[in-house]
């Protein structure tokens, strides 16, 4: 049997008691037996109802709906023994957390009353909330991190299993973002990441989740998005959001993105599998051209792009001299006479055989070997051209690819000078191929370097023109001499009207800007005739020669017109 509540000392004045209670806590209330407010301390009134009194109102009404039942239960329990409760009290501006102690006593008339003393715990709750947020969100972008992403995917999986409706997970990776950090510094890179996160978040629905899971990688969870049309629409918006340049501290930066998608339950039924397969699809995009979206398929389950064992073999192969240059003819579109060659790096490993450039070039670009290999390739190609000219007995030119990392290297101009001096090659016989993305990463830096390259008489070619940023402004701004039409616009000629229109536009633009044009990937006579009829000066492709070793290229030069008289085994680049 519970003891009776204590009574207030006989003769104690009520106003004196209320005065004492003012100092008992941050907020103090005296309630009647029904839970209605008889007294509220001055601080409670100032906080909760500055313009009106609280007397006669039910104490439970000061809380939100979530706390109505717990308050009622606590009031009943306080009649038996002191009770404790943590809740939010409503104020005109916000709800404030309080820890309450409730105790029942009898007043002078013997009627039960209740004393409620509260301590403000909002600061502790704010600290706890900040800690929870830090544990589940990325500090740089404020987006959910991997921990919260996994929880969100599990929730969407549970909803999808009940509704029978699939959904998609999309991994978004910024293209060549490392160039930003390396070339402009991490503070600029961080600013680009924050801007990219804001753009991606803006393209998605409130029901979607966007998380940052790595340096330049984001993951979007797209409930209800499972059909091809839906995925194409959403990922198209994601790609478009990142294609626009980023303006940071006077720098105009272009990065773009690659997107990989996995679908529940078609590809995986758990959060780990869905993210892993979307990431595999994104990696395949980066291996095969970047700047597009690819939905996962089992065919993608091949070796990873960056193979540590392959990287170790590369360092050994550099020491052993296993890298070599092949040369692909560039011919006059009308006469089919060889005008020059593009030097292409190859790796002939003693056990792996010919390693595709798509496997070793990205690794070399990442680990810095590309600077060493690129310097060697530039010097070797210039020396080889002198041999080619000796056999041909006429001027030719050599075209050499310059990687983004080489272009940013502060020793690049010195290496260029060494190559020209060592080979004795005039600068105008050298064409340096640079991608649009390399130029647009930092146009101000690009303009400075390109101008100094032009001072050495070297010609500048834009490689794969039309597949990158294709800003007409840089054709005016930079000292460019050559445009190379990408094979993507050539392979369906002459049947494709759209590709034909694009080629016509490039050729017309080049004509008015006094630029040379080389069409890449020409494989058929029909393609050759189409391009020649529209004024394309130079052709490069399997029709007039695959990439070939130097001795095969020398044999080809002994004939005046390459494609017409060259034996098949040489025309096809056989050794």
């Amino acid at each position: 049997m519970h003891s009776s509540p204590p009574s207030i000392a006989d003769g104690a004045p009520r106003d004196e008691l209320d005065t004492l209670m003012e100092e008992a806590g941050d907020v103090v209330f005296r309630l009647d037996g029904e839970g209605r407010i008889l007294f509220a301390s001055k601080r409670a009134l100032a906080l909760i109802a500055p313009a009106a009194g609280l007397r006669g109102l039910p104490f439970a009404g000061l809380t939100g709906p979530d706390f109505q039942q717990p308050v009622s239960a606590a009031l009943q329990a306080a009649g038996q023994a002191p009770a404790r409760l943590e809740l939010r009290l409503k104020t005109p501006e916000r709800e404030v957390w309080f820890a309450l102690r409730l105790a029942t006593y009898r007043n002078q008339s013997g009627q039960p009353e209740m004393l409620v003393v509260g301590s403000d715990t909002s600061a502790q709750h704010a600290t706890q909330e900040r800690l929870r947020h830090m544990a589940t969100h990325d500090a740089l972008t404020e987006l959910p991190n991997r921990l919260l992403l996994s929880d969100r995917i599990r929730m969407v999986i549970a909803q999808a299993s009940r509704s029978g409706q699939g959904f998609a997970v999309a991994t978004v990776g910024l293209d060549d973002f490392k160039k930003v950090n390396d070339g402009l510094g991490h503070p600029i890179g961080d600013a680009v990441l924050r801007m990219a996160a804001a753009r991606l978040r803006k393209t998605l629905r409130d029901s979607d989740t966007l998380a940052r899971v790595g340096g330049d990688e984001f993951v979007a969870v797209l409930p209800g998005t499972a059909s091809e049309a839906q995925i194409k629409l959403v990922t198209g918006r994601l790609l478009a959001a990142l294609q626009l340049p980023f303006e940071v501290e006077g720098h105009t930066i272009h990065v773009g993105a690659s997107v990989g998608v996995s679908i529940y339950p078609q590809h995986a039924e758990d959060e780990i599998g869905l993210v892993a397969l979307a990431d595999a699809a994104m990696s395949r995009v980066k291996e095969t051209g970047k700047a597009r979206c690819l939905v996962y398929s089992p065919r993608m389950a091949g070796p990873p792009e960056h193979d540590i064992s392959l990287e170790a073999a590369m360092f050994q192969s550099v020491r052993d001299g296993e890298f070599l240059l092949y040369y692909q003819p560039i011919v006059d579109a009308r006469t089919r006479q060889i005008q020059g060659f593009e030097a292409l790096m190859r790796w002939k490993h003693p056990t792996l055989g010919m390693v595709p450039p798509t496997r070793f070039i990205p690794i070399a670009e990442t680990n810095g070997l590309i600077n060493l290999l690129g310097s060697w390739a530039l010097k070797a190609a210039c020396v080889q051209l002198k041999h080619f000219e000796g056999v041909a007995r006429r001027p030719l030119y050599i075209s050499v690819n310059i990687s983004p990392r080489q272009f940013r290297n502060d020793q690049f101009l010195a290496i260029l000078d060494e190559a020209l001096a060592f080979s004795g090659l005039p600068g105008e016989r050298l064409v340096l191929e640079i991608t649009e993305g390399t130029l647009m990463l930092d146009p101000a830096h690009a303009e400075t370097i390109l101008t100094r390259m032009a001072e050495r008489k070297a010609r500048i070619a834009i490689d794969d023109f039309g597949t990158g940023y294709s800003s007409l402004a840089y054709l005016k701004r930079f000292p460019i001499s050559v445009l190379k039409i990408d094979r993507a616009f050539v392979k369906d000629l002459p049947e494709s009207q759209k590709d034909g229109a694009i080629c016509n536009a490039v050729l017309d633009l080049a004509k008015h800007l006094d630029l040379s044009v080389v069409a890449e990937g020409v494989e058929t006579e029909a393609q050759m005739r189409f391009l020649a009829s529209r004024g394309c000066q130079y052709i490069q492709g399997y029709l007039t020669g695959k990439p070939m070793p130097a001795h095969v290229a020398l044999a080809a030069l002994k004939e005046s017109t390459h494609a017409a008289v060259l034996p098949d085994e040489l025309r096809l680049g056989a050794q």
Side-chain angles (χ1 to χ4, degrees):
M1 184 172 180
H2 296 288
S3 59
S4 299
S7 61
I8 295 177
D10 291 341
R14 177 62 59 189
D15 55 353
E16 182 180 334
L17 175 63
D18 290 345
T19 300
L20 291 173
M21 288 196 299
E22 286 285 354
E23 304 301 324
D26 293 324
V27 292
V28 180
F29 302 90
R30 187 160 51 83
L31 313 180
D32 65 16
E34 302 299 323
R36 291 186 293 269
I37 298 172
L38 297 173
F39 163 84
S41 64
K42 293 178 180 178
R43 278 185 286 183
L45 288 171
L47 179 69
I48 298 170
L54 297 175
R55 186 176 180 85
L57 297 178
F59 179 75
L62 302 184
T63 68
D66 293 343
F67 295 104
Q68 296 286 330
Q69 193 278 330
V71 168
S72 298
L75 291 175
Q76 292 178 4
Q80 304 168 1
R84 294 180 180 273
L85 183 64
E86 192 159 15
L87 49 69
R88 291 193 301 267
L89 295 180
K90 294 186 294 185
T91 74
E93 291 82 19
R94 58 192 177 94
E95 294 185 346
V96 181
W97 278 101
F98 282 92
L100 304 180
R101 291 168 292 162
L102 297 83
T104 300
Y105 63 91
R106 293 189 180 278
N107 61 21
Q108 292 176 325
S109 303
Q111 298 299 314
E113 291 185 0
M114 187 174 298
L115 183 64
V116 179
V117 178
S119 300
D120 186 341
T121 58
S122 56
Q124 295 94 309
H125 275 273
T127 300
Q128 292 170 3
E129 184 59 33
R130 283 196 299 272
L131 291 174
R132 279 195 295 268
H133 185 85
M134 290 170 62
T136 57
H137 288 76
D138 171 56
L140 179 65
T141 64
E142 292 295 311
L143 293 176
N145 60 14
R146 283 186 181 274
L147 181 65
L148 184 54
L149 173 68
S150 294
D151 184 62
R152 296 277 178 86
I153 296 178
R154 286 193 292 268
M155 290 174 58
V156 178
I157 288 174
Q159 295 167 358
S161 63
R162 290 193 297 269
S163 67
Q165 188 178 34
F167 69 93
V169 172
T171 297
V172 182
L174 303 187
D175 288 339
D176 304 316
F177 178 73
K178 189 174 185 297
K179 302 173 189 175
V180 180
N181 282 335
D182 289 350
L184 302 176
H186 286 273
I188 298 293
D190 288 347
V192 171
L193 286 172
R194 284 191 292 268
M195 294 170 69
R199 290 186 189 180
L200 292 173
R201 179 65 265 178
K202 191 174 180 180
T203 67
L204 298 174
R205 304 166 298 180
D206 291 340
S207 58
D208 299 329
T209 294
L210 178 68
R212 181 182 177 219
V213 296
D216 62 359
E217 289 189 12
F218 302 86
V219 172
V221 185
L222 310 169
T225 301
S227 71
E228 181 180 350
Q230 290 172 325
I231 291 171
K232 185 176 181 180
L233 177 64
V234 176
T235 57
R237 290 173 178 167
L238 294 174
L239 288 170
L242 298 178
Q243 284 175 348
L244 295 173
F246 294 85
E247 302 289 344
V248 182
E249 296 185 13
H251 299 283
T252 300
I253 301 168
H254 294 262
V255 288
S258 299
V259 179
V261 175
S262 62
I263 302 172
Y264 172 91
Q266 178 179 335
H267 297 139
E269 296 184 8
D270 63 274
E271 74 276 9
I272 295 175
L274 287 166
V275 173
L277 296 183
D279 192 63
M282 182 200 68
S283 296
R284 184 54 54 95
V285 174
K286 288 184 176 289
E287 292 170 4
T288 57
K290 305 178 182 177
R292 62 191 179 94
C293 172
L294 192 63
V295 178
Y296 175 81
S297 75
R299 295 190 301 275
M300 297 175 188
E305 175 188 343
H306 194 99
D307 187 326
I308 294 177
S309 61
L310 190 66
E311 183 174 34
M314 281 183 65
F315 281 97
Q316 184 62 44
S317 293
V318 169
R319 289 190 289 268
D320 294 345
E322 293 171 1
F323 286 88
L324 58 148
L325 291 179
Y326 272 33
Y327 300 89
Q328 185 168 29
I330 300 172
V331 308
D332 186 288
R334 294 175 295 103
T335 66
R336 305 200 181 195
Q337 185 184 55
I338 296 176
Q339 301 298 306
F341 294 89
E342 179 178 355
L344 299 163
M345 196 178 301
R346 294 293 185 263
W347 177 16
K348 190 173 184 179
H349 191 272
T351 57
L352 298 174
M354 295 297 287
V355 182
T358 53
R359 289 199 65 192
F360 72 78
I361 292 294
I363 298 176
E365 182 77 13
T366 300
N367 63 24
L369 268 180
I370 196 68
N371 285 325
L372 179 62
L373 290 171
S375 175
W376 161 77
L378 182 59
K379 294 174 184 177
C382 289
V383 170
Q384 186 62 59
L385 184 65
K386 297 292 287 186
H387 293 303
F388 287 158
E389 290 184 329
V391 170
R393 298 182 180 180
R394 56 188 172 86
L396 299 169
Y397 76 87
I398 193 76
S399 189
V400 181
N401 290 281
I402 304 301
S403 81
R405 189 157 184 163
Q406 283 178 272
F407 190 72
R408 296 194 310 273
N409 190 331
D410 57 6
Q411 296 299 309
F412 173 68
L413 292 173
I415 292 169
L416 175 59
D417 289 337
E418 288 178 15
L420 294 174
F422 181 74
S423 64
L425 189 72
E428 56 265 21
R429 303 268 223 283
L430 176 63
V431 173
L432 300 171
E433 297 190 18
I434 301 170
T435 63
E436 295 172 290
T438 302
L439 298 182
M440 300 312 292
L441 177 64
D442 187 353
H445 172 263
E447 185 174 18
T448 300
I449 299 300
L450 292 179
T451 299
R452 292 179 181 175
M453 290 162 66
E455 289 171 355
R456 291 154 170 83
K457 307 299 183 183
R459 290 184 288 162
I460 314 302
I462 302 300
D463 194 17
D464 302 336
F465 182 74
T467 62
Y469 304 100
S470 301
S471 170
L472 298 183
Y474 73 64
L475 294 180
K476 175 183 176 181
R477 178 177 180 180
F478 301 146
I480 293 164
S481 302
V482 183
L483 299 181
K484 300 196 75 174
I485 300 177
D486 185 72
R487 65 189 69 248
F489 304 122
V490 173
K491 65 183 180 69
D492 294 326
L493 293 177
E495 290 81 8
S496 171
Q497 292 184 350
K498 290 183 178 179
D499 287 334
I502 291 172
C503 290
N504 284 333
V506 173
L507 291 166
D508 189 54
L509 179 68
K511 180 180 178 181
H512 287 88
L513 295 177
D514 195 26
L515 303 175
S516 299
V517 177
V518 179
E520 298 181 291
V522 177
E523 299 183 0
T524 68
E525 289 288 348
Q527 292 169 349
M528 172 77 99
R529 288 192 298 270
F530 177 91
L531 291 162
S533 69
R534 281 155 177 78
C536 183
Q537 302 101 315
Y538 303 109
I539 297 296
Q540 179 180 349
Y542 282 10
L543 178 67
T544 52
K546 289 184 177 181
M548 57 187 70
H551 71 276
V552 178
L554 284 166
L557 283 168
K558 292 178 181 178
E559 306 296 343
S560 59
T561 55
H562 175 63
V565 298
L566 190 64
D568 286 345
E569 65 271 15
L570 295 184
R571 181 164 59 84
L572 297 176
Q575 298 186 47

